[in-house]
Amino acid sequence: MYQKVDTNLNFVDREKAIEKFWEEKDIFRKSMENRKEAKTYTFYDGPPTANGKPHIGHVLTRVIKDMIPRYRTMKGYMVPRKAGWDTHGLPVELEVEKLLGLDGKEQIEEYGLDPFIQKCKESVWKYKGMWEDFSGTVGFWADMDDPYVTYHDDFIESEWWALKQIWDKGLLYKGFKIVPYCPRCGTPLSSHEVAQGYKAVKERSAVVRFKVVGEDAYFLAWTTTPWTLPSNVALCMNPEETYVKVKAADGYTYYLAQALLDKVLGSLGKEEEGVKVYEILETYVGKDLEYKEYEPLFACAGEAAEKQHKKGFYVTCDGYVTMSDGTGIVHIAPAFGEDDAQVGRKYDLPFVQFVDGKGEMTEETAYAGKFVKDADKDILVDLEKEGKLFDAPKFEHDYPFCWRCDTPLIYYARESWFIKMTAVKEDLIRNNNTINWIPESIGKGRFGDWLENIQDWGISRNRYWGTPLNVWECEDCGHMEAIGSREELEKLSGNPAAQTVELHRPYIDEITCNCPKCGKTMKRVPEVIDCWFDSGAMPFAQHHYPFENKELFEAQFPAQFISEAVDQTRGWF
Ligand SMILES: [Zn+2]
Ligand SMILES: [Zn+2]
């Protein structure tokens, strides 16, 4: 059945007429009413944020996301389509800061968290009307009259329930996250701020000898930040690259990457002058040398590791080590680099941070009170004296400076909360393999690769407008409890206000608990969580599960599927 299209047809008019017809006859609602008894088809659409204007990319995704539920509806399924809004996060805070003429956390706290949070709540809806109009225009069907909203207390309570499940399995933990940090301002900088302050600098790097345990040989490793060397706890090689043990012209025996032999040892002489620069004694792949031990470069790091009862000072392996610079062996100081921190988590290395919040070396080192960049010289001199310095080549690179005060930034570990994704990696991969990805290459390739290299998820943010992290900590003995509901909070606090208090900062922070271990006061930790956890929680949090709509949710999410998922998590700990 074809119908010839009139060449004078006005497509806009026709579109408007159809939109009007759908609206007047309430077609969307009827499409669900008529199928009430039919089989449910579940489609999850991640919530958009309404504090930004919709753009052409949203048109494309909304159209695609409408096609599937529409098709399933026409096939006779009942497709619930509750609209939702993603509402927390830094962009909202920044917009409100701009509106109020505030700059930074100090000024926000001076202004007051209570009015600030209220402004955030208003700001979230700035473009709601525009979103509704455009969704109607492109024929996107969703129940916009009764949406879920990620800042609603019920939504937050469901997230707390989920976080508590994660906590009970031992998969929510406090660790360290590396941030670009200005030691003068005493604050981390966003990637946007860091990008504003790069300058080309020329400084001394160091190629250092790490003495192998039980062998008259050394690992050679290169660093551009000598001040991180006192905090060294491991070395890292690429597990698949080729490494060699060589007898060098300077009389030492070294381990380093084959690909960089000439570049590193070339300074010892030239072959044509009759000097044999090196002789290869043995060849390995990095993986062969994993766990090979060396002596701590600085005694202070060895002592710190001992205090933590953790084993360090051995070779680790990671694919991030490249053959483009240095020796192919990377020095690992988990307090001062994101790659280092990841290796530290993977191998459970000691955590040594011999630099304080002012960017000065701490008293455990021989350089106490010196600013890190000034300590570089002394460290090189000491290494040279002890025969541990192979070379200190000048190195030119772009280095970030603080855009506010022109102080060189350092990468610095700050406390942060993580979800231990690495513990569920095999489950994630197995589940991903059951998904019918179209095209297949996205699921097996891009997404599959990402899962293969999954990292623990840093979920905490040191901000205000977000779902508060549901952990209360004892001021005295450090005991921590994760709270999974208002009811649990009332029980632990003995405060009936727990049933009604708004679950945002600063209101929730007024509810303190009594420590079940020592009886002293427990306060909520200051962090809020990544708003991606909010949007990821929408399948259950939109129903206020498990506090309400238990049957409804479990009907959409078959019980045997839930119990399978629960079974898979058994035996993790
Ligand atoms: Zn600064
Ligand atoms: Zn306590």
Side-chain angles (χ1 to χ4, degrees):
M1 269 207 326
Y2 297 100
Q3 211 180 349
K4 208 168 174 209
V5 175
D6 182 350
T7 48
N8 293 319
L9 182 73
N10 185 323
F11 288 101
V12 176
D13 286 348
R14 190 174 66 166
E15 192 179 287
K16 290 228 155 82
I18 288 175
E19 197 189 339
K20 197 166 157 233
F21 172 78
W22 283 356
E23 214 177 288
E24 279 174 3
K25 307 275 178 196
D26 208 9
I27 303 291
F28 169 53
R29 208 156 306 277
K30 280 180 190 157
S31 79
M32 291 195 294
E33 283 292 314
N34 293 345
R35 292 165 178 78
K36 248 189 174 155
E37 306 301 323
K39 223 175 141 190
T40 305
Y41 181 86
T42 303
F43 180 84
Y44 290 139
D45 180 10
T49 162
N51 94 316
K53 284 183 196 168
H55 56 70
I56 194 73
H58 294 122
V59 175
L60 180 68
T61 51
R62 290 233 127 167
V63 168
I64 292 172
K65 283 170 172 182
D66 185 77
M67 242 156 38
I68 292 158
R70 190 173 294 268
Y71 169 74
R72 290 290 169 180
T73 303
M74 290 164 81
K75 290 290 243 184
Y77 287 88
M78 151 72 186
V79 188
R81 270 179 275 179
K82 194 176 172 73
W85 298 106
D86 187 17
T87 52
H88 282 140
L90 191 61
V92 181
E93 290 193 30
L94 291 179
E95 180 126 345
V96 172
E97 274 187 65
K98 223 176 7 183
L99 178 87
L100 297 171
L102 303 176
D103 178 24
K105 287 167 72 176
E106 229 166 80
Q107 291 189 13
I108 292 173
E109 290 189 18
E110 224 167 85
Y111 175 78
L113 282 196
D114 170 29
F116 183 77
I117 291 298
Q118 295 309 323
K119 287 274 182 224
C120 287
K121 212 180 280 179
E122 282 167 33
S123 165
V124 163
W125 300 116
K126 197 161 170 193
Y127 300 108
K128 183 170 177 266
M130 249 185 194
W131 272 89
E132 285 168 346
D133 282 354
F134 122 80
S135 297
T137 304
V138 299
F140 177 86
W141 278 358
D143 181 3
M144 300 256 194
D145 299 332
D146 178 29
Y148 66 88
V149 177
T150 59
Y151 78 60
H152 282 171
D153 282 343
D154 284 352
F155 197 96
I156 292 174
E157 193 181 22
S158 286
E159 289 185 78
W160 279 15
W161 165 79
L163 286 163
K164 174 80 187 282
Q165 308 292 307
I166 297 168
W167 171 270
D168 284 346
K169 294 188 176 97
L171 299 176
L172 180 62
Y173 70 95
K174 188 151 80 168
F176 290 91
K177 189 180 177 119
I178 309 299
V179 291
Y181 178 82
C182 173
R184 198 208 63 86
C185 300
T187 176
L189 275 70
S190 70
S191 53
H192 168 72
E193 290 174 305
V194 174
Q196 290 180 46
Y198 275 93
K199 278 194 253 182
V201 291
K202 207 171 191 178
E203 42 193 2
R204 289 255 175 225
S205 63
V207 182
V208 181
R209 298 185 180 110
F210 291 84
K211 169 80 175 57
V212 180
V213 170
E215 221 180 299
D216 185 18
Y218 297 82
F219 294 115
L220 275 185
W222 176 64
T223 178
T224 57
T225 49
W227 57 268
T228 61
L229 287 169
S231 304
N232 169 278
V233 294
L235 294 172
C236 190
M237 294 184 179
N238 187 308
E240 274 141 39
E241 292 287 346
T242 306
Y243 288 82
V244 288
K245 182 167 152 180
V246 298
K247 182 87 187 162
D250 61 359
Y252 285 90
T253 302
Y254 295 122
Y255 287 88
L256 70 161
Q258 186 167 38
L260 291 151
L261 260 177
D262 291 308
K263 208 166 156 189
V264 178
L265 298 180
S267 61
L268 296 176
K270 288 203 178 81
E271 295 279 353
E272 58 264 33
E273 285 162 9
V275 186
K276 199 156 177 53
V277 177
Y278 57 81
E279 184 192 340
I280 295 180
L281 304 175
E282 225 147 337
T283 306
Y284 313 86
V285 287
K287 189 81 188 157
D288 298 337
L289 297 168
E290 194 180 16
Y291 298 112
K292 202 169 176 59
E293 294 177 35
Y294 64 92
E295 291 171 8
L297 193 65
F298 285 82
C300 51
E303 285 156 22
E306 222 161 273
K307 266 190 215 154
Q308 294 174 23
H309 305 291
K310 286 201 172 174
K311 190 168 156 46
F313 315 105
Y314 57 86
V315 172
T316 61
C317 284
D318 197 286
Y320 91 90
V321 178
T322 65
M323 298 296 125
S324 56
D325 285 306
T327 65
I329 304 178
V330 172
H331 125 74
I332 298 287
F336 304 110
E338 190 46 43
D339 291 327
D340 304 47
Q342 275 170 20
V343 170
R345 282 194 284 274
K346 192 162 100 183
Y347 285 88
D348 195 25
L349 293 170
F351 183 83
V352 178
Q353 189 171 35
F354 289 146
V355 174
D356 66 16
K358 289 184 289 189
E360 292 170 358
M361 303 296 288
T362 60
E363 57 186 20
E364 288 92 339
T365 68
Y367 318 100
K370 283 223 155 95
F371 185 66
V372 289
K373 292 278 175 189
D374 301 324
D376 273 0
K377 267 180 251 117
D378 300 359
I379 289 168
L380 291 176
V381 167
D382 285 351
L383 289 174
E384 173 75 44
K385 259 193 249 165
E386 293 168 27
K388 291 172 176 168
L389 190 65
F390 173 81
D391 195 9
K394 274 218 166 134
F395 176 70
E396 198 172 342
H397 60 154
D398 287 331
Y399 195 87
F401 287 73
C402 178
W403 64 275
R404 288 196 202 97
C405 73
D406 211 31
T407 302
L409 302 180
I410 57 176
Y411 286 84
Y412 195 71
R414 306 238 310 171
E415 275 189 346
S416 192
W417 290 84
F418 293 86
I419 293 179
K420 201 167 179 52
M421 299 304 292
T422 47
V424 295
K425 177 176 156 178
E426 297 311 318
D427 292 314
L428 292 168
I429 292 170
R430 195 177 52 243
N431 286 333
N432 184 45
N433 288 339
T434 67
I435 294 169
N436 179 25
W437 283 92
I438 300 169
E440 207 182 319
S441 58
I442 299 272
K444 295 272 178 291
R446 187 153 52 155
F447 195 66
D449 289 347
W450 185 71
L451 291 178
E452 282 293 341
N453 295 301
I454 193 110
Q455 302 295 336
D456 288 349
W457 180 6
I459 58 153
S460 60
R461 299 287 179 269
N462 297 90
R463 298 294 310 191
Y464 311 102
W465 178 239
T467 295
L469 184 64
N470 56 333
V471 176
W472 269 252
E473 188 175 16
C474 176
E475 289 178 326
D476 205 59
C477 74
H479 175 68
M480 292 190 273
E481 297 261 348
I483 306 272
S485 65
R486 286 183 179 279
E487 206 182 311
E488 281 179 45
L489 185 59
E490 187 182 9
K491 241 186 238 157
L492 196 67
S493 65
N495 186 346
Q499 290 291 357
T500 49
V501 66
E502 178 172 341
L503 299 183
H504 278 119
R505 296 186 71 185
Y507 323 106
I508 187 64
D509 293 335
E510 281 160 24
I511 311 271
T512 59
C513 298
N514 296 319
C515 177
K517 292 266 142 79
C518 76
K520 297 268 166 55
T521 306
M522 297 180 91
K523 284 188 172 157
R524 196 189 67 80
V525 299
E527 289 90 351
V528 299
I529 63 169
D530 184 356
C531 55
W532 282 99
F533 193 94
D534 294 357
S535 35
M538 66 74 99
F540 56 90
Q542 65 175 294
H543 302 300
H544 193 208
Y545 182 85
F547 308 102
E548 286 178 78
N549 301 313
K550 218 165 147 98
E551 293 80 35
L552 184 119
F553 174 69
E554 283 167 10
Q556 285 184 25
F557 212 89
Q560 98 266 10
F561 187 64
I562 293 178
S563 67
E564 268 168 30
V566 171
D567 276 344
Q568 283 166 15
T569 63
R570 285 204 183 108
W572 282 346
F573 282 89

